[in-house]
Amino acid sequence: MESLTMLDEPVASIKPMKGKGGIVRLIVGCALSAVCLYFVFRNIKFEEVGRALATFHWPYLIVGILSLAIGYTARIFRWKLLLEASGPKVTTAACASPFLASIALNNVLPFRLGDVVRALVFPAALGVTKTGATATLVLERLVDLLTLLMCLAVAASFFPKGALPASVVDIVIVLAVLGSAALLSLILFTGLIVRLVRWFATRLQPKAPEKLISVLHAIADLVEALQSISRMRTIIAALAISFVAWAGELGLYLALMQGIGMVFSLPGGLLLMSMATIATLVPSSPGYVGPYHLAAFTAAHLMGGSATQAMTLAVLCHLGVWLPTTIAGATVMLFHRNLFNAARNQASRDASGDQA
């Protein structure tokens, strides 16, 4: 059957996000970042932060970066596992470049555009379909969210009742319910959803606009791809690897806590990592500046850290996660030009085929 999916159109036909809507979202995100930063910095004495940085034990940073590297190696392997579950055989080494490049783009571009590039541009370099790559990204994000919520729940169980803000507890409950429902739906109902969407598209086809029919088929193709990677065995493996990945990232947070002289606390590290990472879901300026810092600052305060320690830790955690991954991704894009060239070549071949 001929595929009508919009996801596998030539890259040249994918239009960048334009218009007032994108500008408004960017302005709102930057405003939210500014508000968050105001609450973080309003009572901070910067000379004390400077002294805290001057006394930081930098060997802990090396340990933290090595732990972060282990976590990202696990993430790359997980993506390889999900891509293979959707069909083509790929190697972990081949997946490393597009994965790291997309993380770097997420770090410097708004609206998580790095994820869009990984789903729609980089598949050509791997020889996989855009639909399959998009499906792996959806499942990957869902599994990460559930893993973080489990980590946050474990951390919260070690704190006195009422220590965590009620708003944080409410958000965790809502996200946990939605995430669990979405994962359960992927396991149980994807086949039914595909059949319903295709039936609906067939009924509408004689009278509906062609663009709408294409969108419906694209949705059906995406859900079908999700069905192929949502087998129980694959999801369990993805969850297990996710715990390894986040354990690696946890090592960075624990190392930085030790570096500024805070008491070693595994629940505290889990709380810090979970709150700071979940905060990146809030629309903000590029690089997650603002919401990340406010969440990390709040978590450090809940652990008993001083305002100076909390501020220093928030800044160090952000740089510790953001800077190495951005440098790694930028290096990959500099030396692996095929990531983008393959997509352009594929678009040219598709355009030539259409003209023929």
Side-chain angles (χ1 to χ4, degrees):
M1 184 179 72
E2 183 179 354
S3 176
L4 297 174
T5 179
M6 296 172 66
L7 292 175
D8 289 318
E9 289 177 353
V11 173
S13 68
I14 300 171
K15 297 180 181 179
M17 189 164 29
K18 296 181 180 179
K20 294 182 179 179
I23 296 174
V24 169
R25 286 194 294 273
L26 181 58
I27 292 173
V28 171
C30 290
L32 285 172
S33 292
V35 170
C36 291
L37 289 175
Y38 165 76
F39 284 109
V40 171
F41 286 112
R42 59 179 176 169
N43 294 319
I44 296 300
K45 295 179 180 179
F46 289 97
E47 62 272 15
E48 293 182 1
V49 175
R51 284 195 294 270
L53 288 173
T55 58
F56 181 79
H57 301 287
W58 294 102
Y60 281 108
L61 179 62
I62 298 173
V63 174
I65 297 300
L66 291 174
S67 184
L68 183 70
I70 293 172
Y72 272 83
T73 301
R75 283 177 168 81
I76 294 166
F77 180 75
R78 180 185 61 185
W79 191 38
K80 176 250 188 190
L81 176 75
L82 294 178
L83 284 173
E84 288 190 335
S86 68
K89 291 290 183 182
V90 291
T91 64
T92 305
C95 292
S97 294
F99 186 92
L100 292 173
S102 71
I103 296 299
L105 292 172
N106 269 346
N107 287 347
V108 299
L109 296 176
F111 314 124
R112 290 188 175 270
L113 287 179
D115 288 346
V116 176
V117 173
R118 175 147 66 106
L120 302 182
V121 178
F122 292 160
L126 286 172
V128 301
T129 66
K130 296 168 196 171
T131 305
T134 303
T136 63
L137 193 60
V138 171
L139 186 58
E140 182 183 286
R141 289 290 179 254
L142 184 57
V143 167
D144 274 338
L145 177 60
L146 290 176
T147 305
L148 281 170
L149 291 172
M150 291 179 195
C151 291
L152 186 54
V154 170
S157 68
F158 284 87
F159 285 81
K161 187 176 181 181
L164 293 181
S167 58
V168 172
V169 176
D170 291 340
I171 290 172
V172 170
I173 293 173
V174 170
L175 290 177
V177 170
L178 292 177
S180 301
L183 192 60
L184 189 62
S185 297
L186 285 177
I187 296 172
L188 299 178
F189 304 120
T190 46
L192 176 61
I193 294 171
V194 169
R195 290 193 295 273
L196 286 174
V197 173
R198 292 205 188 280
W199 173 83
F200 190 57
T202 303
R203 293 292 300 270
L204 288 179
Q205 195 156 7
K207 50 188 176 181
E210 184 178 345
K211 192 74 172 178
L212 175 59
I213 301 301
S214 297
V215 169
L216 289 173
H217 278 289
I219 293 172
D221 288 344
L222 177 59
V223 177
E224 200 164 33
L226 281 167
Q227 182 181 26
S228 68
I229 63 174
S230 298
R231 299 180 181 90
M232 184 64 71
R233 180 179 177 182
T234 303
I235 288 178
I236 291 174
L239 278 168
I241 297 170
S242 294
F243 280 110
V244 175
W246 287 107
E249 191 149 331
L250 174 63
L252 171 67
Y253 287 90
L254 291 172
L256 293 176
M257 288 166 58
Q258 290 288 96
I260 65 170
M262 292 184 69
V263 176
F264 179 86
S265 169
L266 185 58
L270 286 171
L271 181 72
L272 175 63
M273 178 186 71
S274 304
M275 285 183 62
T277 307
I278 291 173
T280 63
L281 296 174
V282 178
S284 64
S285 63
Y288 319 117
V289 174
Y292 181 99
H293 294 82
L294 181 58
F297 181 86
T298 303
H301 250 315
L302 290 171
M303 287 185 282
S306 66
T308 299
Q309 285 180 319
M311 179 69 251
T312 306
L313 187 59
V315 172
L316 287 174
C317 287
H318 183 261
L319 287 176
V321 174
W322 184 90
L323 192 58
T325 54
T326 302
I327 291 173
T331 303
V332 161
M333 287 186 281
L334 182 63
F335 290 101
H336 292 263
R337 302 292 180 86
N338 187 53
L339 285 176
F340 293 97
N341 291 338
R344 283 194 289 267
N345 294 338
Q346 181 65 49
S348 298
R349 287 194 297 269
D350 290 342
S352 299
D354 291 341
Q355 291 174 1

